[in-house]
mmCIF file of all heavy atoms in Angstrom:
data_model
loop_
_atom_site.group_PDB
_atom_site.id
_atom_site.type_symbol
_atom_site.label_atom_id
_atom_site.label_comp_id
_atom_site.label_asym_id
_atom_site.label_seq_id
_atom_site.Cartn_x
_atom_site.Cartn_y
_atom_site.Cartn_z
ATOM 1 N N ILE A 785 88.914 112.666 97.745
ATOM 2 C CA ILE A 785 89.096 113.063 96.343
ATOM 3 C C ILE A 785 88.643 111.944 95.405
ATOM 4 O O ILE A 785 87.905 112.175 94.455
ATOM 5 C CB ILE A 785 90.578 113.402 96.059
ATOM 6 C CG1 ILE A 785 91.020 114.613 96.866
ATOM 7 C CG2 ILE A 785 90.816 113.638 94.565
ATOM 8 C CD1 ILE A 785 92.530 114.866 96.823
ATOM 9 N N GLU A 794 95.204 109.914 90.935
ATOM 10 C CA GLU A 794 95.508 109.287 92.226
ATOM 11 C C GLU A 794 96.385 110.268 93.024
ATOM 12 O O GLU A 794 97.461 110.651 92.552
ATOM 13 C CB GLU A 794 96.231 107.961 92.003
ATOM 14 C CG GLU A 794 96.574 107.220 93.289
ATOM 15 C CD GLU A 794 95.348 106.848 94.105
ATOM 16 O OE1 GLU A 794 94.606 105.914 93.713
ATOM 17 O OE2 GLU A 794 95.132 107.511 95.137
ATOM 18 N N HIS A 795 95.891 110.706 94.186
ATOM 19 C CA HIS A 795 96.677 111.607 95.049
ATOM 20 C C HIS A 795 97.120 110.908 96.326
ATOM 21 O O HIS A 795 97.884 111.439 97.103
ATOM 22 C CB HIS A 795 95.844 112.840 95.447
ATOM 23 C CG HIS A 795 95.623 113.804 94.335
ATOM 24 N ND1 HIS A 795 96.450 114.869 94.100
ATOM 25 C CD2 HIS A 795 94.657 113.846 93.372
ATOM 26 C CE1 HIS A 795 96.007 115.554 93.049
ATOM 27 N NE2 HIS A 795 94.926 114.948 92.585
ATOM 28 N N HIS A 796 96.537 109.723 96.550
ATOM 29 C CA HIS A 796 96.694 109.084 97.858
ATOM 30 C C HIS A 796 97.792 108.033 97.843
ATOM 31 O O HIS A 796 97.514 106.841 97.666
ATOM 32 C CB HIS A 796 95.350 108.468 98.260
ATOM 33 C CG HIS A 796 95.297 108.090 99.702
ATOM 34 N ND1 HIS A 796 94.410 107.168 100.202
ATOM 35 C CD2 HIS A 796 96.020 108.508 100.763
ATOM 36 C CE1 HIS A 796 94.595 107.037 101.508
ATOM 37 N NE2 HIS A 796 95.562 107.841 101.871
ATOM 38 N N PRO A 808 104.374 111.478 91.976
ATOM 39 C CA PRO A 808 103.414 110.905 91.024
ATOM 40 C C PRO A 808 102.759 111.905 90.077
ATOM 41 O O PRO A 808 102.237 111.499 89.041
ATOM 42 C CB PRO A 808 102.351 110.279 91.935
ATOM 43 C CG PRO A 808 102.392 111.099 93.174
ATOM 44 C CD PRO A 808 103.818 111.556 93.330
ATOM 45 N N HIS A 809 102.702 113.179 90.442
ATOM 46 C CA HIS A 809 102.018 114.112 89.518
ATOM 47 C C HIS A 809 102.678 115.483 89.547
ATOM 48 O O HIS A 809 103.437 115.806 90.449
ATOM 49 C CB HIS A 809 100.510 114.183 89.811
ATOM 50 C CG HIS A 809 100.116 114.864 91.094
ATOM 51 N ND1 HIS A 809 100.169 116.245 91.248
ATOM 52 C CD2 HIS A 809 99.643 114.388 92.272
ATOM 53 C CE1 HIS A 809 99.728 116.558 92.459
ATOM 54 N NE2 HIS A 809 99.417 115.449 93.117
ATOM 55 N N ILE A 811 102.298 119.879 89.010
ATOM 56 C CA ILE A 811 101.371 120.975 89.313
ATOM 57 C C ILE A 811 101.705 122.171 88.429
ATOM 58 O O ILE A 811 102.837 122.341 87.988
ATOM 59 C CB ILE A 811 101.445 121.410 90.804
ATOM 60 C CG1 ILE A 811 102.887 121.746 91.207
ATOM 61 C CG2 ILE A 811 100.854 120.350 91.712
ATOM 62 C CD1 ILE A 811 102.989 122.490 92.528
ATOM 63 N N VAL A 830 105.510 116.900 92.166
ATOM 64 C CA VAL A 830 105.389 116.891 93.633
ATOM 65 C C VAL A 830 105.052 115.488 94.140
ATOM 66 O O VAL A 830 104.571 114.651 93.370
ATOM 67 C CB VAL A 830 104.277 117.861 94.134
ATOM 68 C CG1 VAL A 830 104.671 119.314 93.897
ATOM 69 C CG2 VAL A 830 102.927 117.542 93.507
ATOM 70 N N ASN A 831 105.278 115.272 95.422
ATOM 71 C CA ASN A 831 104.768 114.053 96.048
ATOM 72 C C ASN A 831 103.298 114.276 96.396
ATOM 73 O O ASN A 831 102.796 115.413 96.346
ATOM 74 C CB ASN A 831 105.628 113.624 97.252
ATOM 75 C CG ASN A 831 105.860 114.736 98.263
ATOM 76 O OD1 ASN A 831 105.428 115.868 98.080
ATOM 77 N ND2 ASN A 831 106.546 114.421 99.348
ATOM 78 N N SER A 832 102.585 113.221 96.751
ATOM 79 C CA SER A 832 101.143 113.357 96.934
ATOM 80 C C SER A 832 100.692 112.324 97.957
ATOM 81 O O SER A 832 100.509 111.159 97.637
ATOM 82 C CB SER A 832 100.432 113.164 95.582
ATOM 83 O OG SER A 832 99.094 113.631 95.637
ATOM 84 N N LEU A 833 100.536 112.782 99.204
ATOM 85 C CA LEU A 833 100.242 111.872 100.314
ATOM 86 C C LEU A 833 98.941 112.297 100.989
ATOM 87 O O LEU A 833 98.848 112.388 102.197
ATOM 88 C CB LEU A 833 101.418 111.892 101.307
ATOM 89 C CG LEU A 833 102.765 111.500 100.684
ATOM 90 C CD1 LEU A 833 103.939 112.014 101.500
ATOM 91 C CD2 LEU A 833 102.873 109.986 100.536
ATOM 92 N N HIS A 834 97.941 112.590 100.142
ATOM 93 C CA HIS A 834 96.674 113.106 100.685
ATOM 94 C C HIS A 834 95.495 112.483 99.955
ATOM 95 O O HIS A 834 95.603 112.154 98.781
ATOM 96 C CB HIS A 834 96.624 114.633 100.548
ATOM 97 C CG HIS A 834 96.686 115.138 99.124
ATOM 98 N ND1 HIS A 834 95.617 115.747 98.505
ATOM 99 C CD2 HIS A 834 97.686 115.131 98.193
ATOM 100 C CE1 HIS A 834 95.958 116.103 97.268
ATOM 101 N NE2 HIS A 834 97.210 115.740 97.056
ATOM 102 N N SER A 851 96.796 120.700 90.377
ATOM 103 C CA SER A 851 97.216 119.554 89.563
ATOM 104 C C SER A 851 96.328 119.549 88.314
ATOM 105 O O SER A 851 95.364 120.323 88.229
ATOM 106 C CB SER A 851 97.093 118.256 90.358
ATOM 107 O OG SER A 851 95.883 118.222 91.081
ATOM 108 N N VAL A 855 92.573 119.851 91.121
ATOM 109 C CA VAL A 855 92.641 119.809 92.581
ATOM 110 C C VAL A 855 93.584 120.923 93.036
ATOM 111 O O VAL A 855 94.644 121.140 92.439
ATOM 112 C CB VAL A 855 93.128 118.422 93.074
ATOM 113 C CG1 VAL A 855 93.550 118.457 94.546
ATOM 114 C CG2 VAL A 855 92.022 117.386 92.868
ATOM 115 N N ILE A 856 93.149 121.655 94.072
ATOM 116 C CA ILE A 856 93.942 122.772 94.599
ATOM 117 C C ILE A 856 95.160 122.209 95.332
ATOM 118 O O ILE A 856 95.021 121.389 96.233
ATOM 119 C CB ILE A 856 93.081 123.649 95.538
ATOM 120 C CG1 ILE A 856 92.005 124.359 94.716
ATOM 121 C CG2 ILE A 856 93.952 124.642 96.307
ATOM 122 C CD1 ILE A 856 90.972 125.119 95.548
ATOM 123 N N GLU A 857 96.336 122.648 94.921
ATOM 124 C CA GLU A 857 97.571 122.113 95.513
ATOM 125 C C GLU A 857 98.349 123.153 96.325
ATOM 126 O O GLU A 857 99.279 122.791 97.036
ATOM 127 C CB GLU A 857 98.462 121.510 94.420
ATOM 128 C CG GLU A 857 97.931 120.171 93.861
ATOM 129 C CD GLU A 857 98.399 118.928 94.648
ATOM 130 O OE1 GLU A 857 99.330 119.041 95.459
ATOM 131 O OE2 GLU A 857 97.804 117.850 94.448
ATOM 132 N N GLN A 871 99.833 121.529 99.448
ATOM 133 C CA GLN A 871 99.195 120.250 99.742
ATOM 134 C C GLN A 871 100.216 119.104 99.777
ATOM 135 O O GLN A 871 100.009 118.097 100.433
ATOM 136 C CB GLN A 871 98.096 119.979 98.701
ATOM 137 C CG GLN A 871 97.333 118.704 98.902
ATOM 138 C CD GLN A 871 96.597 118.664 100.230
ATOM 139 O OE1 GLN A 871 95.589 119.317 100.444
ATOM 140 N NE2 GLN A 871 97.113 117.881 101.184
ATOM 141 N N TRP A 872 101.324 119.263 99.109
ATOM 142 C CA TRP A 872 102.338 118.207 99.099
ATOM 143 C C TRP A 872 103.275 118.359 100.305
ATOM 144 O O TRP A 872 103.064 119.224 101.157
ATOM 145 C CB TRP A 872 103.106 118.212 97.768
ATOM 146 C CG TRP A 872 103.944 119.417 97.505
ATOM 147 C CD1 TRP A 872 105.277 119.560 97.775
ATOM 148 C CD2 TRP A 872 103.537 120.659 96.911
ATOM 149 N NE1 TRP A 872 105.707 120.811 97.395
ATOM 150 C CE2 TRP A 872 104.662 121.509 96.862
ATOM 151 C CE3 TRP A 872 102.314 121.154 96.424
ATOM 152 C CZ2 TRP A 872 104.619 122.802 96.342
ATOM 153 C CZ3 TRP A 872 102.272 122.441 95.907
ATOM 154 C CH2 TRP A 872 103.402 123.249 95.863
HETATM 155 MN MN1 MN B 1608 98.330 115.753 95.057
#
Side-chain angles (χ1 to χ4, degrees):
I785 296 170
E794 181 61 74
H795 288 268
H796 194 201
H809 70 74
I811 54 166
V830 292
N831 52 358
S832 196
L833 302 159
H834 61 112
S851 43
V855 165
I856 292 173
E857 287 272 346
Q871 181 61 74
W872 66 94

